[in-house]
Amino acid sequence: MSAWLKDETTLQAGGAAPHAVDIFALLRDQTGAQAAQVTAAGAAWLAGASAYPRSTLAQWEERPAAPGVLPCGSQFDIVNVPALFGRRMLERLWAEGPGTGPVAVNRGRMLLFAAPGTAQRLPSLLAWEEWGSGGGEQSRTPRGEVPPMLCHGTGDAVTVPPLTCPSDGSGPRWLVAPDTRNPWLPGPDVLLWACVRVSRSRTTQGAGHSIFPRADQGANVYDVTRRR
């Protein structure tokens, strides 16, 4: 991953501006970027969710350590789950599934960036699964309940972590930061699969090798070798 390398193609759509926003110059020489570091292309993708991408980038240039607010429904939807359940979902997605798109945490909740339309479809799919309409052998497997989750789509807005997050900060932060202009985002079927796998598992804690660090390590960087 790049460490906020300048993206020469940022916001080329609609014609070049006399003075292009150069927020990336702030951290161009930073080293040691990891999965929790937003790249130039990732910042441009996030700004694209706004009605005024260039103004959004300009605001981030002035306050790169401040959280932002972005609308859902165009670039992405957000699936908002309790942190522990979200960690288990991510373990399943990375170990057995296709991986994830960007992921953030805020106030004890995990925010999974999902494909547009997920917020509308996922609750219905979960309700369908809850009543056992899926049929098949797996529907007879004992499982726990899926905890309450919030799905943010068209008409909603969410707080996203700052572009630069201090390692010891307690506010919103990235677990898997956006690093491309066209990130792969899981849809409702993938997230349903992860929810069901976690809820059916009776041996999630302490079983097998976890991609997550122990709580006392204070790390927020994960294995991204399976990332799309």
Side-chain angles (χ1 to χ4, degrees):
M1 291 187 177
S2 59
W4 279 89
L5 298 178
K6 184 178 179 181
D7 185 355
E8 299 294 347
T9 63
T10 298
L11 299 177
Q12 290 298 315
H19 300 285
V21 174
D22 189 14
I23 182 175
F24 315 117
L26 295 174
L27 297 176
R28 191 174 300 149
D29 297 327
Q30 179 172 318
T31 59
Q34 303 290 346
Q37 174 66 58
V38 179
T39 66
W45 174 74
L46 282 172
S50 169
Y52 304 99
R54 193 174 297 280
S55 296
T56 299
L57 286 175
Q59 291 174 5
W60 286 343
E61 182 180 26
E62 294 178 0
R63 303 182 63 192
V69 177
L70 293 175
C72 301
S74 58
Q75 295 277 74
F76 54 78
D77 283 358
I78 295 289
V79 176
N80 181 333
V81 299
L84 179 58
F85 191 82
R87 286 168 64 96
R88 294 173 176 173
M89 284 181 65
L90 262 63
E91 286 186 338
R92 292 287 182 169
L93 287 166
W94 286 109
E96 304 173 21
T100 68
V103 181
V105 291
N106 187 19
R107 297 183 178 180
R109 307 281 296 187
M110 187 170 290
L111 310 180
L112 288 83
F113 284 65
T118 298
Q120 181 178 5
R121 292 188 56 202
L122 183 58
S124 298
L125 291 175
L126 283 170
W128 176 78
E129 176 68 28
E130 181 69 24
W131 286 101
S133 301
E137 186 66 26
Q138 284 191 328
S139 65
R140 296 191 291 271
T141 304
R143 64 183 179 87
E145 294 183 355
V146 174
M149 63 175 58
L150 303 174
C151 294
H152 308 290
T154 302
D156 299 326
V158 296
T159 299
V160 298
L163 300 184
T164 58
C165 301
S167 58
D168 58 349
S170 58
R173 67 185 187 279
W174 294 105
L175 294 183
V176 181
D179 65 351
T180 175
R181 281 181 168 277
N182 297 290
W184 177 80
L185 300 174
D189 51 345
V190 172
L191 294 177
L192 173 69
W193 172 86
C195 287
V196 171
R197 284 298 184 97
V198 172
S199 64
R200 283 180 176 152
S201 174
R202 298 295 185 182
T203 58
T204 301
Q205 282 189 316
H209 176 71
S210 170
I211 64 170
F212 291 96
R214 295 177 181 175
D216 59 353
Q217 291 179 331
N220 60 356
V221 176
Y222 308 112
D223 180 5
V224 294
T225 55
R226 292 176 58 87
R227 188 168 183 177
R228 291 288 184 96

